[in-house]
Amino acid sequence: MKQCVLVCQNTSCRQYGSAQVLRAFQQANVEVRRSGCLGQCGNGPMVLVLPDEFWYDRVSPSQVPMIAEQHRQQGCPVRPWLYPKFHPDSAR
Ligand code: FES
């Protein structure tokens, strides 16, 4: 499966600034797609990195360059920023 970053653009995540997060990923030169609700409303902006299935919650534009860089080295997430609900071993 091709690598891709999904950035939720549904109502809840947009309220927390997911449009700016999407723009930051586009500027970071990675394959990025806007997605519908990822089912984690209230924890956004939500970002899902595929095919690794690394989830990030409450992402800010300032976090995007590091997430994008790690994404290029597939399989290396930014562990402290992973969504604890799906990554209970994250450093948070
Ligand atoms: S609106 Fe983004 S996860 Fe539901």
Side-chain angles (χ1 to χ4, degrees), residues 10-81:
N10 212 330
T11 312
S12 171
C13 285
R14 283 189 76 89
Q15 284 174 350
Y16 294 109
S18 65
Q20 291 88 333
V21 172
L22 176 67
R23 206 167 309 125
F25 272 110
Q26 289 165 336
Q27 290 166 353
N29 243 347
V30 294
E31 177 77 27
V32 61
R33 289 194 204 131
R34 60 187 73 220
S35 88
C37 179
L38 292 169
Q40 305 303 318
C41 310
N43 296 296
M46 289 302 305
V47 168
L48 172 58
V49 176
L50 297 174
D52 304 293
E53 293 198 30
F54 291 133
W55 291 77
Y56 296 93
D57 60 312
R58 297 183 168 85
V59 176
S60 70
S62 65
Q63 292 175 295
V64 167
M66 191 178 282
I67 295 172
E69 184 52 41
Q70 297 295 82
H71 172 55
R72 274 189 273 274
Q73 307 164 20
Q74 195 172 351
C76 299
V78 186
R79 293 219 171 263
W81 297 344

